[in-house]
Amino acid sequence: MNLSERFKVNPPANRWVGPMPKVGIRPIIDGRRKGVRESLEETTMSLARGVAAFLSANLRHANGLPVECVIADTCIGGAAEAAQAAAKFTREGVGLSISVTPAWCYGSETMDMDPLIPKAVWGFNGTERPGAVYLAAVLAAHNQKGLPAFGIYGRDVQDAGDPAIPEDVKEKLLRFTRAGLAAATLRGKNYLALGNVSMGIAGSQVDPAFFESYLGMRIQTADMSEFVRRMEEHIYDEEEFTRALAWVKANCKEGEDHNAPVRQRSRAQKDSDWEVSVKMALIARDMLAGNPHLATIGFGEEALGFNAIAGGFQGQRQWTDHFPNGDFMEAILNSSFDWNGIRAPYIFATENDSLNGTGMLLGYLLTGIPQIFADVRTYWSPTAVQRVTGHTLTGKAANGFIHLINSGAAALDGSGQQTRGGQPVIKPFWEVTPEEAARCLDVTTWYPGNTEYFRGGGWSSQFVTRGGMPVTMMRINLVKGLGPVMQIAEGETVDLPADVFDKLNQRTDPTWPSTWFVPNLTGSGPFKDVYAVMNAWGANHGAISYGHIGADLIALASILRIPISMHNVTEDKIFRPTAWNAFGAQDPMGADYRACQTFGPLYGRY
């Protein structure tokens, strides 16, 4: 079987109910007729068309579909035209708005008043007409009315009618739009909890109020016995199962059994574990996104799925004490490929850690890139590494590193076998080649599950993430009396010499995927050193996304009203609604907390 047969490249598709949100562009104009407005009509509309063309050319939705922009039918000079634009945006499914103007206009008469739509305003920096004056006036109106908006103001003066979008304006337009689209895509979707609380982990105590108030999402739950019912009643595509199992046998290489002989499962049991693991993956996918085939075999209700943009599987212990673990299901769903070819990943959390699943979801919506779910397992100091291995750490790892490892939902793309410009990367699925997907599988070994942990058997993926990749680790935690808070740590993956890796890996579970992570240090607070990052992390899990996306996460968190408890993003990259300045411009972290508390969650009080 050649690569094109192993990995068909699937086109982008929308798995969720309803259209993808669009970007609404609002050309704002001075409403005075008989000279003023007429002189500005073409310039203002050209500005709107330029922004729409720029965004459409440079952004995609996370599922690979193009980002569409909707421009108001006319320039907006007053409240009537603002209402006309709002009506069009409702019909067109607009999820966020960007107002643009080169001139003075009437602030509270022309502004976007929809409280649920993220908003930005670009006031053109020119001297002929004061677009910046309008920007300041309308932002003041937004703040006074409790409708926070992002303000965009270019650093350098432009000539009137200049169609160019300055680089600093481009950066802010992209950052806001990525964040706004992510927030709009969340709205109305579901998180599917398969099972309940895993081993007392707080993140798997799914909190409906958080999802409803902050994300605009609904919680759906199903007992893990649903897997048993669907397997026993054959509520899955049996032709696909046969094809998937053959693909797994051809592409998923087995490793040695590390279990003590008395705890090893027989070959027949291991073969059965593969069959159950593949069925679990099919069933979980069908529950997340639906499967029309099920209707053709008499299961119309099941065919609908749960319209879940993310989900999680409890697994331990009520399932794994008796049935094969969910590691294969979780890893293959989160990856950008399977037996059906290269396709968008599914966001699926180990141990039903819905908060880490939310972190994975936010990272995915901002980037379109598969995510790594991991335990934030161990800080290895230079002294400890030297004592255990005799090796002296150098380079990026000189100050130590954090070992990220978990048996479950690390996308196989996390191995770093995809490249761009000769460097390891993790790509959105529409850029992944069959050769890259094959390399990810080739470096992944599937070991029999540790039967001390997983009494029912199963399989665990093992790979080592390549070093040299910029990554961002994030986590959302819930704190009583405060609500949700987000942690962000940008950094880089590092390589270790093979013998050093082996000695460190053998001290934990060698059958699980490993990522060696070094956060970028600032020299103060939780980023004083690598140990401080580990010591300040708020839970046992972290979501890891390729790229330094901390600034985008901060913008998105401000839209959702989730304060940031720690981050190492440079000040010049931070972009929030201008109202945040009023809560303490010289204390941005404290201002973030105060603003989020004052405005409250986007969809209602927690």
Side-chain angles (χ1 to χ4, degrees):
M1 183 183 295
N2 60 38
L3 282 176
S4 62
E5 292 172 322
R6 286 172 69 191
F7 299 104
K8 178 183 72 173
V9 180
N10 290 288
N14 180 12
R15 297 178 182 139
W16 308 308
V17 176
M20 299 303 297
K22 299 176 184 177
V23 183
I25 309 296
R26 307 174 75 252
I28 311 298
I29 200 166
D30 189 324
R32 288 173 284 200
R33 309 268 179 166
K34 299 183 179 180
V36 176
R37 176 164 179 156
E38 290 82 354
S39 69
L40 292 168
E41 287 277 2
E42 180 54 33
T43 298
T44 304
M45 193 58 81
S46 293
L47 201 64
R49 288 194 292 263
V51 170
F54 169 71
L55 294 176
S56 296
N58 287 278
L59 291 176
R60 289 199 196 200
H61 291 287
N63 58 17
L65 290 171
V67 169
E68 296 182 60
C69 294
V70 176
I71 303 174
D73 290 334
T74 68
C75 290
I76 300 169
E81 288 168 321
Q84 291 167 1
K88 180 179 183 179
F89 287 0
T90 298
R91 293 192 304 271
E92 292 283 346
V94 165
L96 63 152
S97 73
I98 302 174
S99 300
V100 299
T101 187
W104 164 253
C105 312
Y106 307 157
S108 60
E109 296 180 19
T110 59
M111 63 188 281
D112 176 358
M113 293 285 286
D114 189 324
L116 299 183
I117 286 185
K119 312 172 206 323
V121 184
W122 176 25
F124 186 86
N125 186 0
T127 54
E128 292 84 354
R129 299 278 188 178
V133 178
Y134 171 75
L135 176 64
V138 77
L139 290 175
H142 275 284
N143 296 346
Q144 186 168 323
K145 296 175 186 296
L147 299 170
F150 291 73
I152 301 174
Y153 178 52
R155 178 175 291 274
D156 298 317
V157 172
Q158 294 179 260
D159 297 329
D162 183 354
I165 303 176
E167 291 303 312
D168 60 331
V169 172
K170 287 181 179 178
E171 182 178 3
K172 289 181 176 179
L173 284 170
L174 290 173
R175 179 150 295 135
F176 165 75
T177 305
R178 283 192 293 262
L181 285 171
T185 303
L186 290 170
R187 187 178 174 188
K189 307 300 190 302
N190 298 326
Y191 177 90
L192 176 59
L194 294 169
N196 204 306
V197 180
S198 174
M199 302 181 295
I201 294 172
S204 63
Q205 297 171 16
V206 183
D207 187 336
F210 162 66
F211 279 89
E212 292 164 8
S213 296
Y214 284 88
L215 307 181
M217 293 174 60
R218 186 198 307 258
I219 294 296
Q220 296 282 279
T221 60
D223 191 87
M224 290 183 292
S225 63
E226 180 66 2
F227 283 93
V228 179
R229 183 180 79 91
R230 293 195 182 209
M231 283 188 277
E232 292 184 352
E233 297 184 25
H234 297 266
I235 308 174
Y236 55 87
D237 186 334
E238 296 206 59
E239 181 280 326
E240 183 182 3
F241 165 68
T242 300
R243 179 164 46 85
L245 185 62
W247 183 91
V248 166
K249 290 180 177 179
N251 292 282
C252 297
K253 65 183 180 185
E254 293 184 15
E256 65 179 299
D257 195 332
H258 288 272
N259 291 294
V262 69
R263 295 194 179 96
Q264 292 183 7
R265 292 167 70 78
S266 68
R267 184 66 250 177
Q269 287 175 314
K270 290 175 181 176
D271 289 340
S272 175
D273 290 349
W274 271 126
E275 293 181 10
V276 172
S277 295
V278 172
K279 289 177 183 176
M280 288 172 66
L282 293 173
I283 289 167
R285 182 205 63 194
D286 292 350
M287 293 179 75
L288 289 165
N291 183 351
H293 173 79
L294 302 184
T296 69
I297 58 174
F299 295 97
E301 179 183 0
E302 291 84 348
L304 296 173
F306 286 86
N307 193 35
I309 197 171
F313 177 68
Q314 174 194 334
Q316 299 185 71
R317 288 180 43 203
Q318 285 78 359
W319 180 269
T320 55
D321 279 2
H322 183 67
F323 295 103
N325 64 33
D327 291 8
F328 174 80
M329 167 182 63
E330 294 161 359
I332 204 69
L333 287 176
N334 279 298
S335 300
S336 65
F337 50 83
D338 61 17
W339 44 88
N340 290 318
I342 296 170
R343 44 77 175 149
Y346 298 82
I347 302 302
F348 204 62
T350 295
E351 293 156 353
N352 194 30
D353 185 345
S354 63
L355 297 180
N356 213 54
T358 299
M360 295 168 69
L361 177 57
L362 299 185
Y364 168 64
L365 291 178
L366 289 170
T367 64
I369 289 171
Q371 305 290 296
I372 296 173
F373 179 113
D375 282 354
V376 185
R377 180 63 69 98
T378 309
Y379 163 65
W380 278 101
S381 69
T383 300
V385 172
Q386 174 69 36
R387 178 181 63 82
V388 170
T389 70
H391 177 72
T392 300
L393 295 176
T394 59
K396 289 282 186 179
N399 296 309
F401 50 81
I402 297 172
H403 191 186
L404 306 175
I405 179 173
N406 188 286
S407 70
L412 303 189
D413 307 70
S415 58
Q417 295 300 310
Q418 300 156 15
T419 58
R420 186 181 295 122
Q423 298 300 309
V425 300
I426 306 176
K427 295 179 176 179
F429 84 93
W430 59 86
E431 295 181 12
V432 176
T433 67
E435 292 79 9
E436 290 170 329
R439 286 201 299 270
C440 292
L441 276 168
D442 290 343
V443 301
T444 301
T445 302
W446 295 89
Y447 288 97
N450 183 334
T451 52
E452 289 187 350
Y453 288 148
F454 309 126
R455 298 175 188 172
W459 298 90
S460 295
S461 61
Q462 197 281 326
F463 61 77
V464 183
T465 301
R466 289 179 67 186
M469 294 198 298
V471 295
T472 302
M473 185 167 72
M474 72 203 82
R475 172 73 191 183
I476 291 176
N477 296 300
L478 294 180
V479 180
K480 187 173 179 63
L482 175 61
V485 294
M486 181 184 290
Q487 297 176 292
I488 299 169
E490 293 184 338
E492 186 173 318
T493 62
V494 295
D495 291 317
L496 298 178
D499 61 325
V500 175
F501 165 79
D502 188 60
K503 289 177 181 176
L504 300 185
N505 202 45
Q506 291 297 327
R507 294 175 66 96
T508 180
D509 196 312
T511 69
W512 297 347
S514 284
T515 302
W516 308 102
F517 171 64
V518 174
N520 296 337
L521 303 178
T522 65
S524 64
F527 293 95
K528 178 178 61 177
D529 52 32
V530 180
Y531 169 80
V533 176
M534 175 78 179
N535 197 43
W537 206 249
N540 54 311
H541 292 151
I544 298 89
S545 183
Y546 175 81
H548 288 160
I549 64 167
D552 286 353
L553 284 166
I554 289 172
L556 175 55
S558 68
I559 291 172
L560 302 175
R561 316 292 191 254
I562 299 174
I564 310 297
S565 63
M566 60 180 270
H567 72 81
N568 56 351
V569 179
T570 57
E571 186 177 349
D572 62 304
K573 297 290 185 184
I574 296 174
F575 189 37
R576 292 183 172 116
T578 55
W580 267 238
N581 293 329
F583 292 89
Q586 292 178 292
D587 174 23
M589 183 163 283
D592 183 31
Y593 274 83
R594 291 185 285 271
C596 289
Q597 182 180 37
T598 298
F599 291 118
L602 187 59
Y603 301 103
R605 284 289 172 182
Y606 183 54

